[in-house]
């Protein structure tokens, strides 16, 4: 072991007791003090399991072989009490889903203070001062100390988790997809924040991501992981300019702003959905006896034609999801009209079957007590489709195959899959009833770039072959730049710009659209 390395991993192998096949296969790498190592790869390649192995958090069902040294100490030999002293103080982790990493019944300030209480001897007054300093470090004002997780946006929750992780100034910070679910402007802010905190505290970082364009902005070296193996490790600049493996080249090709093309479609197709002057308001109690309303969607007008892909883009909190939920009858509008095939949505029986939605968070949209087979069968049972057992099973297998999974997924439960794999299952369920309109709410955000391409190609093929229409909601304007026929840009509840994709990307009329385009990470910046 090299004494200059903060983390030294040699021949690490991890497999699940119930499976003979290893999920991490004889990997070796190191991280130097103050260095950022990027760990890139597809969903399910073993990136998160590698991080959990370093933190000593592997599930009990896992069997581990090999050596992991941290500051010269063999982690595989630590006792539980030693692990508790190490985690949070010398090494800390920012998990992929900030909402599940935060306690929903405790304030943000109390959760940060808990880290200080566990690992420092600061008194109550000094802990309070330290919490305020940490909130300031992650660019949140002191008022967030008394807020609960549900009162924060996705980016704010991620900042709070980062504050907890760096509270004791760890030597190693592990970031597991810390920007995946964030809009491009917030993503850029988090990257800059992590760079600033690393310089301030002198931390080393293991930065896990499927997006090489994001990783290029923060990593000194990049290790590429494929199917449990590290296939390439190089300095960031070398990997981006001279990748050695075909897999790395594919990851690079999928990163960044895709060239927008003139999408071929029949402009004479009838309107499938007409949204006219739609307004949605939420009421909230500001004082004990006084209610105020907040306008989430403000007089939106939008048309979706048969066989058309419309991209709806904007930052978190712009009203995109609220608009999408109203189109499937999950959110009542305050005013305006929604027509589906010329009939009011509220009175259309056909719409319940013909409009489906892929929700943003696959874990909360899948019932944890149902197997994947039960979850996929449920919409078929409700609508009386594929009632013969053999036909139904074949339909389920075909659905899984379409999203890159096989029939071994059927008897398993949602918690047994990675975040990206759960999202693929949610997509398969939405396609089960062969809808006319599919509303995709950040449907591929949690997927690695290669699977994103696979799913987008699948959706594009379904549009071409069946006349399926898509409302594709995303914060990532780069993602839809080469996919959508038209773009609609949303800011603070209003549609500020819409038009053909090529025109919007090449000649944006609104400064906010230009800001979204400028925030897209570009690999060229590292060259």
């Amino acid at each position: 072991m090299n004494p200059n390395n903060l983390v030294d991993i040699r021949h690490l192998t991890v497999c699940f007791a119930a499976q003979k096949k290893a999920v991490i296969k004889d990997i070796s790498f190191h991280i130097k003090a103050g260095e950022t190592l990027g760990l890139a790869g597809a969903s399910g390649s073993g990136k998160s399991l590698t991080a959990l192995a370093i933190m000593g958090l592997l599930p009990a069902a896992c069997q581990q072989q090999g050596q992991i040294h941290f500051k010269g100490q063999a982690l595989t030999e630590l006792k539980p009490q030693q692990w508790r002293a190490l985690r949070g103080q010398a090494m800390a982790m920012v998990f992929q889903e900030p909402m599940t990493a935060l306690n929903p019944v405790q304030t943000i300030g109390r959760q940060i203070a808990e880290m200080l209480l566990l690992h420092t001897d600061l008194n109550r007054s000094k802990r309070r001062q330290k919490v305020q300093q940490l909130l300031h470090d992650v660019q949140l004002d002191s008022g967030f100390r008394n807020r609960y997780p549900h009162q924060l946006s996705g980016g704010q929750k991620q900042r709070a988790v980062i504050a907890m992780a760096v509270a004791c100034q760890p030597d190693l910070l592990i970031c597991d997809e810390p920007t995946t679910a964030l809009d491009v402007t917030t993503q850029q802010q988090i990257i800059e924040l992590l760079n600033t905190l690393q310089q301030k505290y002198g931390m080393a970082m293991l930065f896990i991501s499927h997006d090489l364009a994001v990783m290029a902005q923060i990593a000194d070296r990049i290790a590429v992981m494929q199917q449990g193996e590290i296939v390439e490790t190089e300095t960031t600049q070398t990997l981006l300019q001279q990748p050695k493996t075909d897999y790395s080249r594919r990851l690079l090709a999928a990163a960044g702003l895709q060239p927008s093309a003139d999408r071929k479609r029949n402009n004479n197709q009838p309107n499938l959905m007409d949204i006219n002057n739609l307004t949605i308001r939420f009421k909230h109690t500001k004082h004990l006896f006084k209610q105020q309303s907040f306008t989430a969607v403000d007089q939106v007008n939008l048309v979706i034609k048969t066989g058309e892909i419309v991209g709806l883009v904007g930052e978190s909190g712009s009203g995109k999801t609220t608009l999408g939920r109203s189109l499937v009858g999950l959110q009542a509008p305050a005013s305006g009209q929604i027509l589906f095939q010329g009939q009011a949505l509220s009175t259309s029986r056909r719409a319940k079957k013909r409009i489906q939605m892929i929700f943003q968070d696959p874990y909360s949209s899948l019932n944890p007590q149902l197997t994947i087979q039960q979850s996929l069968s449920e919409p078929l049972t409700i609508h009386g489709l594929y009632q013969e057992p053999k036909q139904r099973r074949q339909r389920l297998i075909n659905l899984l195959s379409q999203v890159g999974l096989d029939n071994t997924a059927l008897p398993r439960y949602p918690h047994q899959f990675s975040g990206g794999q759960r999202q693929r299952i949610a997509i398969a369920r939405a396609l089960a009833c062969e809808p006319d309109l599919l509303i995709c709410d950040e449907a591929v955000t949690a997927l690695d770039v290669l699977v994103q391409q696979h799913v987008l190609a699948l959706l594009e093929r379904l549009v071409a072959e069946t006349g399926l229409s898509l409302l594709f909601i995303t914060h990532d304007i780069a993602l839809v730049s080469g996919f959508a026929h038209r773009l609609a840009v949303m800011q603070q509840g209003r549609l500020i710009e819409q038009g053909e994709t090529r025109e919007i990307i090449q000649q944006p009329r609104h400064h906010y659209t230009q800001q979204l385009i400028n925030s897209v990470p570009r690999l060229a910046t590292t060259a």
Side-chain angles (χ1 to χ4, degrees), residues 395-435:
R395 174 61 176 163
L396 301 186
I397 292 172
N398 291 342
L399 286 168
L400 289 174
S401 176
Q402 284 181 323
V403 295
L405 296 172
D406 57 40
N407 61 355
T408 59
L410 289 175
R412 296 160 66 188
Y413 290 87
H415 73 273
Q416 296 175 300
F417 295 88
S418 69
Q421 289 168 331
R422 283 196 292 267
Q423 190 63 287
R424 288 188 243 177
I425 293 164
I427 293 170
R429 187 180 61 178
L431 293 172
C433 293
E434 303 173 358

Side-chain angles (χ1 to χ4, degrees), residues 212-213 215-218 236-237 240-241 522-527:
L212 284 176
M215 193 172 287
Q217 300 178 75
I218 196 169
T236 300
Q237 188 167 347
L240 299 184
Q241 294 178 351
R522 289 173 171 82
L523 291 169
T525 59
T526 63

